Amino acid sequence: MKKETSAAVAEIYLVNADTPAELFQKTGSGRPTREELHHAATRLKDEKSHTFFPLPVPHFICFAPTEKNLSLAERLEKIRSTAADVVTVLRTEKCFEAEIIDTTWQNDEEVLAFMEGLYLADYHFDEFKKKKERAFRFSFRSLVVSEAQVARVEALCEEVKRARRLIDLPFSALNAAQLADAARETASKSGIKVEVWSEARLRQSGMGGLLGVNQGSIDKPSFTEMEYKPAKAVNKKPIVLVGKGIVFDAGGMNIKTGSYMDEMKTDMAGAAVVMGVVRAVAALKLPVYVKALMPATDNRLNGNAMVCGDILNMYDGTTVEVVNTDAEGRLILADAVAYGCKTFDPELVVTVATLTGAASRALGSQGIAAMQENADRYTESLLQAGARTHERLCFFPMWKEYEKELASKVADLKNCGSGSAGMITAAKFIKHFAGECPFVHLDVAGVEYLSKRDGYRGPGATAYGLRLLVEFLREYAENGGLEKARSSKK
Ligand code: BES
Ligand code: MG
Ligand code: ZN
């Protein structure tokens, strides 16, 4: 094989626009030159956030954002995008090794956001291509950020990339059993317990939603539980995360037409995200007791597929009239949520799912359509974690009038409403199975997959929601869990 000729190690200087002199003193390396800095500062006036010098070794001067009135969250996101731009240039220059030299950025969050942008932009899904992309090697020198902090960012980004790969894998490489295998790979030494249900157990337990959707498939369904329960957890009752694991959504008998089926290998993104959250929480050793539940099947159709009008008997005994077989995600989530709430009495149950076109139409690829009931006390913290990670969410109302849409003449519920406010009626459907348990539903349709690269996101899977939930749990742990946070506020 021809060896790729690559440049030597690139240098990426993180500097403040107003302190070039200081930079020289601190690095003492003689690089970048005064001319380069001058040039960079001029470019900055043109609102470029970084400057790149190609020869003899590529090096970059990246400024912390200088615009006034940026919130910290906006600054962090700008920094991540700058880092992604740098990766794009490095890739064209065929330079796969870079040293990041932070001399004058004083804020550790900003430096870490830069590293995060680099790691996340270094993702490619090329395992089915002859021509492979090369991975980057980043090393790091900083006055404000420790190696341990960078290692934590790297560990989190590894989980994001692992989840992105699972989402990008086609159905031919990831069916329901293989999704369960991906959870099983989580070594017991990481402190995570994994349990995969047998089909017999699914039948015995009466998971009618999951089995109903699976009727049209020649593959078996799977149901996977993951648990991370550290000895010093801040919470006694678990936080239960439920992820939609539709490994391919053909729509069932209400088969998807036109190009609507094109990206439906990504319909297990919710499962990949919750699996990644538990793995990341364990890797970062956060003192939080979390569980992930991942019901999985494809939604194909065959001679035995469920049809409109069929009535399913769900895990909790609710009967559901299927009026559209393409509203399958809520059927499998409902069983998992009912099981989770009954068995574990969770402090909070969070569902993550590519559930509705309505969510995607409402917010495009800019954020998650979120709904909640009995979970007011978590919304502020979720919104803040969303801003900090730029995995944003927008809460839609759960007015009780929406419930009327799900009334059925022949069963306890219908599986979908009239079509308008589709993300809300879907959330209402799942909420029915959570009972009084605090419930947050994240509809990630539209953000989980991008056909074009957008900075450090895409092209392809984004695993949107993973960093959000890890950040939410990190802060939750830092506050000593909900009870402590509440009593200290009193
Ligand atoms: N997996 C789809 C939702 C989806 C759409 C995800 C676009 C990602 C991008 C889901 O199973 C579905 O088919 N939803 C239907 C529900 C409808 C039949 C009530 C929808 O939103 O059209
Ligand atoms: Mg569907
Ligand atoms: Zn679906």
Side-chain angles (χ1 to χ4, degrees):
M1 228 171 77
K2 218 174 99 186
K3 209 172 159 246
E4 282 204 59
T5 48
S6 62
V9 183
E11 292 170 358
I12 304 172
Y13 291 89
L14 308 184
V15 304
N16 278 324
D18 50 0
T19 52
E22 197 181 331
L23 171 84
F24 283 110
Q25 285 160 20
K26 284 190 180 157
T27 65
S29 69
R31 261 197 301 242
T33 65
R34 275 174 201 285
E35 290 72 29
E36 287 170 343
L37 273 171
H38 177 72
H39 176 60
T42 322
R43 282 281 296 277
L44 185 68
K45 288 206 189 87
D46 307 335
E47 293 188 14
K48 289 269 190 289
S49 53
H50 71 272
T51 305
F52 157 58
F53 302 96
L55 292 169
V57 175
H59 60 258
F60 298 80
I61 298 175
C62 297
F63 293 105
T66 51
E67 296 100 312
K68 296 203 172 62
N69 306 325
L70 283 187
S71 66
L72 174 64
E74 286 167 329
R75 288 173 68 84
L76 297 179
E77 180 60 5
K78 210 156 186 246
I79 288 168
R80 287 184 204 102
S81 316
T82 298
D85 290 350
V86 169
V87 170
T88 304
V89 179
L90 286 172
R91 206 178 272 126
T92 25
E93 291 296 311
K94 293 202 170 34
C95 180
F96 293 97
E97 207 172 334
E99 181 171 28
I100 295 83
I101 303 151
D102 162 42
T103 56
T104 60
W105 285 18
Q106 294 300 326
N107 182 329
D108 57 348
E109 273 189 274
E110 295 188 354
V111 179
L112 294 172
F114 191 87
M115 296 309 293
E116 192 170 62
L118 291 179
Y119 289 130
L120 293 176
D122 177 24
Y123 169 79
H124 29 81
F125 180 68
D126 58 8
E127 57 197 85
F128 294 90
K129 289 177 98 166
K130 281 204 188 70
K131 191 169 179 289
K132 309 286 184 205
E133 295 231 20
R134 267 178 67 177
F136 285 90
R137 266 188 50 195
F138 300 115
S139 56
F140 187 74
R141 249 195 288 157
S142 169
L143 297 174
V144 291
V145 166
S146 69
E147 268 176 34
Q149 278 177 299
V150 176
R152 289 169 74 83
V153 170
E154 195 175 354
L156 174 62
C157 293
E158 278 312 308
E159 288 310 330
V160 174
K161 291 198 240 180
R162 184 179 186 275
R164 285 169 75 175
R165 173 180 173 267
L166 291 177
I167 300 166
D168 275 327
L169 280 175
F171 178 40
S172 59
L174 191 90
N175 62 19
Q178 288 162 315
L179 183 72
D181 289 343
R184 270 206 199 95
E185 270 170 25
T186 304
S188 58
K189 70 174 188 296
S190 63
I192 299 173
K193 275 198 240 156
V194 180
E195 197 182 342
V196 181
W197 289 35
S198 66
E199 199 191 2
R201 183 167 169 199
L202 286 174
R203 290 198 187 282
Q204 261 162 21
S205 314
M207 292 231 175
L210 178 56
L211 293 168
V213 177
N214 182 250
Q215 256 173 238
S217 174
I218 51 167
D219 292 345
K220 286 191 188 324
S222 69
F223 185 81
T224 307
E225 291 185 46
M226 286 170 87
E227 179 187 271
Y228 179 66
K229 191 177 185 182
K232 291 201 178 119
V234 295
N235 52 330
K236 285 205 183 68
K237 294 181 181 189
I239 292 184
V240 173
L241 312 171
V242 183
K244 172 175 173 182
I246 293 291
V247 281
F248 188 78
D249 184 9
M253 290 302 267
N254 290 104
I255 193 164
K256 288 186 185 289
T257 54
S259 59
Y260 287 109
M261 213 189 287
D262 287 3
E263 290 168 359
M264 285 304 134
K265 67 173 185 180
T266 65
D267 213 20
M268 37 53 73
V273 164
V274 298
M275 189 191 300
V277 171
V278 173
R279 289 172 54 105
V281 165
L284 301 175
K285 298 196 166 57
L286 298 181
V288 199
Y289 174 21
V290 273
K291 279 188 155 280
L293 305 178
M294 290 155 282
T297 174
D298 58 89
N299 186 25
R300 282 180 293 181
L301 57 161
N302 63 23
N304 197 39
M306 65 177 185
V307 294
C308 297
D310 277 359
I311 297 174
L312 302 175
N313 206 339
M314 307 291 281
Y315 175 84
D316 72 347
T318 303
T319 55
V320 173
E321 179 193 4
V322 176
V323 293
N324 191 320
T325 62
D326 201 8
E328 83 297 340
R330 62 199 76 185
L331 295 172
I332 71 168
L333 290 169
D335 277 343
V337 165
Y339 163 75
C341 290
K342 182 175 164 215
T343 317
F344 308 115
D345 183 24
E347 172 169 330
L348 169 69
V349 60
V350 182
T351 46
V352 185
T354 44
L355 208 63
T356 64
S360 157
R361 283 190 296 276
L363 299 172
S365 58
Q366 295 305 328
I368 298 172
M371 273 73 53
Q372 62 90 5
E373 254 183 275
N374 304 327
D376 286 333
R377 66 194 92 133
Y378 301 98
T379 55
E380 190 48 42
S381 158
L382 280 164
L383 287 167
Q384 279 176 20
R388 278 197 298 275
T389 54
H390 204 77
E391 292 189 339
R392 296 173 295 187
L393 26 77
C394 171
F395 280 97
F396 287 85
M398 287 280 269
W399 296 319
K400 66 176 183 317
E401 285 78 0
Y402 292 114
E403 288 162 24
K404 291 184 195 147
E405 298 244 356
L406 300 173
S408 161
K409 290 200 179 72
V410 293
D412 301 329
L413 287 177
K414 293 197 290 194
N415 75 330
C416 57
S418 62
S420 45
M423 68 293 210
I424 302 177
T425 49
K428 277 287 183 190
F429 180 87
I430 301 168
K431 197 277 153 197
H432 171 92
F433 298 86
E436 292 314 304
C437 179
F439 169 68
V440 171
H441 170 59
L442 305 178
D443 193 332
V444 292
V447 286
E448 276 311 315
Y449 191 82
L450 300 177
S451 49
K452 280 200 214 117
R453 179 183 290 279
D454 174 20
Y456 59 88
R457 276 179 231 101
T462 62
Y464 205 101
L466 198 162
R467 288 189 303 116
L468 158 76
L469 287 171
V470 173
E471 176 63 14
F472 167 73
L473 294 170
R474 189 199 58 73
E475 211 219 317
Y476 173 84
E478 200 174 282
N479 289 335
L482 183 72
E483 289 310 320
K484 194 157 162 227
R486 268 199 303 198
S487 55
S488 65
K489 267 189 198 144
K490 272 181 198 154

